[in-house]
Amino acid sequence: MPLRRALPASAVLAIPPLFLGLTAIPASAAPSMSTLRFDVRVGPDRDQRCTVAADLYRPAGASRNDRAPAIMTTNGFGGSKDDQAGLAEAFVKRGYVVLAYSGLGAGGSGCRITLDHPDYDGAAARQLVDFLAGTKAAEDGTRTDLVRLDAPGDPRVGMVGGSYGGGVQFAAASVDRRIDTLVPIDTWNDLRYSLAPNNEQAPDNEQAPSGGRTGDPGATKLIWGLGFFALGAVRGVSEAETDPSRLSGCPNFPTALCQAVGESLWYGVPRPKSLSYLHSASVASYMKRIKVPVLLVQGQTDTLFNLQEAAATYRGLSAQGTPVKMIWHSGGHSGPGASGDLDLTAPDTNYVGRRVLAWFDHHLKGGPADTGPKFTYFRPWVPYEGDAAPAYGSAPTHPQRLYLSGRDRLTFSKTAVKKGEAAYRNLLGPLPTSFSEISALQNSFDDVPPADAPGGYAAWTSPALTRPIDVAGSPTMSVRLSSPAAVRSQRAGVDGLLVLFAKLYDVAPDGTTRLVHRLTSPVRVADVRKPLTIQLPGIVHRFEAGHRLRAVIAASDLSYLGNRATLPVTVHTDPNRPGVLTVPAA
């Protein structure tokens, strides 16, 4: 599928004209749109000049005497403001001023792609808020006085957008408290985890989205990472006339991003300095500065930014008292959504669209709209017609435990556990022998089922279920490993640590297997001599009666950089210290 995503966006503000001689945008009898360009200053010292391309949508009847709240929106990675036209047209018809703009480094906007860093993309967004407030003019002198004000220079404005257009909302709100609310869709918590995930669950309090040790690199997402890098560079070349300087050195990216790619290919994971940059461009690094209400929308079909990322942001915001609600919808970067679920070009026709409308009507228009439950998720096994609302649920979960037994069994009874060992190895060294998905290219290969080569994985399968198990959340898997080769290898530091890939299959009565949403959990094991707990991918899935659960640990995966040396591994099961698969059953 394309790397870019045409998702929501929001914002435009206004105050009375304060400067004579400059053009003010007139009120209109019908919604209208005009294209503008803005000169902005970005960087830690705000000494770098960039141009931002934007489209301003004005609602019918809005004027300096009858102002409207504003929504700002921007594109997904590699896209442009044009991708947001459908969303903008839908919300302007509902009485919002909308400012859709191209992010830095793409879509007619200058400067480099900085991964939504607050000093760059956040600073640029802040100056667009100035325009909505009426205190900044576009390059042609245009000002606006259509946006409702909370105070002089403070417009009533929210933001909405997906993926890259979701991350920028946090960056903007971290540097501009005038922004009133955010609706980030399918976006990240910490890019260190997004691009090199490590799902080893740690006992300490400071944790990554997976629950793992913060900052410890996992397995680099090879295809996603190279795809983003290539698309960003191509964008820079195709728009060199806008800002040719961004092609010098690291093409269309800051130097740290080129370093991260090179380090991953050479070492297997980025070095600490590169990881530090990725962290600084993530809400995880500046969470305490996010104070406005947030509606998090995250996709269940997403191998780029998984459900763990939204859950980590949700936990962080909730812990500090920031108003937050969360929706897990059916789609994501790795596949289309279900009908009637999420379409912001016609928001009143689908579940998530109506939730977003209600959210903005409440937080921007001040209406009494019901903004929905604190947390809800899409249940793909629930039949419905039209609007997907009946498929959403919010039932709490409880832990359902299964135990690893012998070489290849899962049992629901701890007393039935038998002693055993399961061995595997990465037979081809750094070359993969397992396939789960192909990231951004998956749509072209969706008919190719996941597979693991014999000898390259260990698996444990449950008996057929006597009743369905509905899972909503992230299962965990606790195991004990032994690997003399990995013990020797890990002495070399992070590059020598054992890498493995854990996943959970649904096995049908006829033996066919399904890897739910093709999700897998990479782990770079801190110390192979210690017990290991893995957080498996967050899923919402029904294991039907008659089906079986199969937990798998694989030595490699086609979409990731894994072990560089051949490392044989044995997984031990014992009645006194059994391995445990825990699923959050709804």
Side-chain angles (χ1 to χ4, degrees):
M1 67 176 293
L3 287 173
R4 66 185 183 183
R5 294 180 51 79
L7 284 170
S10 55
V12 171
L13 306 165
I15 67 171
L18 301 178
F19 299 86
L20 298 177
L22 297 177
T23 303
I25 295 173
S28 56
S32 61
M33 187 273 280
S34 58
T35 297
L36 303 170
R37 298 183 68 80
F38 296 90
D39 178 67
V40 298
R41 302 295 182 96
V42 302
D45 300 319
R46 305 296 188 263
D47 57 356
Q48 182 178 348
R49 298 183 63 176
C50 304
T51 298
V52 172
D55 293 330
L56 178 67
Y57 296 78
R58 300 176 293 274
S63 68
R64 64 180 302 177
N65 295 319
D66 188 12
R67 297 169 182 254
I71 292 174
M72 289 174 62
T73 185
T74 187
N75 52 275
F77 192 90
S80 75
K81 60 182 177 58
D82 299 339
D83 302 334
Q84 305 305 103
L87 177 150
E89 290 167 0
F91 280 82
V92 74
K93 291 176 183 177
R94 289 159 177 81
Y96 291 95
V97 176
V98 180
L99 185 65
Y101 68 97
S102 295
L104 298 180
S109 292
C111 292
R112 297 174 186 265
I113 295 169
T114 60
L115 302 186
D116 285 340
H117 196 288
D119 286 342
Y120 295 88
D121 298 272
R126 178 184 174 91
Q127 290 160 78
L128 298 181
V129 174
D130 290 339
F131 169 73
L132 296 175
T135 60
K136 180 181 176 66
E139 285 184 348
D140 66 358
T142 297
R143 292 182 182 273
T144 182
D145 60 357
L146 304 179
V147 178
R148 185 181 301 176
L149 299 178
D150 293 323
D154 182 1
R156 180 75 58 85
V157 58
M159 296 186 74
V160 61
S163 192
Y164 201 73
V168 72
Q169 298 175 47
F170 292 120
S174 75
V175 299
D176 193 340
R177 294 193 175 184
R178 295 173 298 174
I179 297 172
D180 295 286
T181 190
L182 311 176
V183 183
I185 301 173
D186 297 345
T187 197
W188 64 89
N189 169 268
D190 193 332
L191 285 172
R192 296 178 301 180
Y193 174 80
S194 308
L195 301 177
N198 187 3
N199 290 281
E200 177 176 358
Q201 188 160 295
D204 50 49
N205 293 324
E206 187 184 4
Q207 296 182 334
S210 66
R213 295 172 176 83
T214 300
D216 285 1
T220 297
K221 290 179 179 176
L222 177 64
I223 298 177
W224 272 121
L226 291 179
F228 277 123
F229 186 75
L231 180 57
V234 167
R235 263 296 193 183
V237 171
S238 65
E239 300 183 14
E241 292 184 3
T242 302
D243 182 4
S245 67
R246 68 191 189 190
L247 296 182
S248 62
C250 183
N252 210 25
F253 290 99
T255 302
L257 271 300
C258 276
Q259 290 175 339
V261 172
E263 291 162 357
S264 294
L265 294 175
W266 183 258
Y267 299 105
V269 291
R271 303 290 90 181
K273 185 175 181 181
S274 299
L275 289 170
S276 177
Y277 181 87
L278 295 175
H279 185 56
S280 68
S282 305
V283 65
S285 71
Y286 53 80
M287 183 83 69
K288 292 180 180 179
R289 302 206 299 267
I290 307 301
K291 303 296 185 183
V292 298
V294 178
L295 177 62
L296 286 168
V297 182
Q298 200 79 355
Q300 298 173 21
T301 311
D302 205 319
T303 61
L304 177 60
F305 304 134
N306 60 26
L307 296 178
Q308 287 99 302
E309 301 243 30
T313 302
Y314 180 87
R315 289 193 303 267
L317 293 175
S318 296
Q320 67 188 28
T322 299
V324 59
K325 293 186 176 183
M326 182 165 63
I327 302 170
W328 287 356
H329 73 97
S330 61
H333 287 86
S334 306
S339 63
D341 185 15
L342 193 167
D343 179 4
L344 295 189
T345 67
D348 48 6
T349 67
N350 55 92
Y351 177 78
V352 177
R354 288 187 291 102
R355 288 286 302 273
V356 173
L357 273 177
W359 188 263
F360 281 141
D361 285 350
H362 177 69
H363 291 287
L364 297 182
K365 290 184 177 179
D370 178 7
T371 61
K374 187 80 170 172
F375 168 52
T376 188
Y377 47 85
F378 179 84
R379 299 169 296 174
W381 60 88
V382 176
Y384 66 90
E385 293 182 2
D387 194 299
Y392 273 85
S394 55
T397 62
H398 64 277
Q400 171 74 65
R401 293 182 177 86
L402 296 90
Y403 301 91
L404 279 63
S405 177
R407 293 179 54 192
D408 56 4
R409 294 286 185 265
L410 284 173
T411 176
F412 287 94
S413 172
K414 186 176 180 180
T415 60
V417 172
K418 298 183 182 299
K419 188 171 184 177
E421 296 179 345
Y424 72 87
R425 68 175 65 197
N426 52 317
L427 302 170
L428 302 180
L431 300 179
T433 57
S434 288
F435 164 71
S436 58
E437 52 91 27
I438 313 183
S439 308
L441 306 176
Q442 183 53 46
N443 278 2
S444 301
F445 297 90
D446 205 42
D447 57 343
V448 180
D452 299 287
Y457 70 100
W460 300 265
T461 306
S462 77
L465 301 177
T466 57
R467 59 177 178 79
I469 295 180
D470 297 340
V471 177
S474 296
T476 61
M477 187 176 180
S478 299
V479 294
R480 291 185 301 113
L481 311 176
S482 66
S483 174
V487 171
R488 293 191 297 271
S489 177
Q490 70 187 26
R491 295 170 187 160
V494 66
D495 304 325
L497 298 180
L498 172 69
V499 178
L500 57 82
F501 300 84
K503 43 199 172 183
L504 184 61
Y505 285 90
D506 182 332
V507 183
D510 63 2
T512 57
T513 59
R514 177 186 177 190
L515 180 59
V516 183
H517 297 314
R518 295 180 176 263
L519 294 166
T520 186
S521 275
V523 172
R524 187 173 292 268
V525 182
D527 189 342
V528 73
R529 297 167 297 184
K530 297 179 179 180
L532 171 67
T533 298
I534 304 164
Q535 188 174 68
L536 292 165
I539 58 173
V540 180
H541 179 73
R542 167 170 282 185
F543 291 88
E544 297 282 2
H547 287 227
R548 293 173 290 162
L549 286 74
R550 177 172 294 162
V552 171
I553 295 178
S556 61
D557 190 279
L558 178 65
S559 291
Y560 295 82
L561 293 174
N563 297 293
R564 304 172 71 83
T566 301
L567 301 174
V569 177
T570 300
V571 184
H572 301 272
T573 57
D574 189 294
N576 296 319
R577 292 181 295 171
V580 183
L581 172 67
T582 304
V583 296

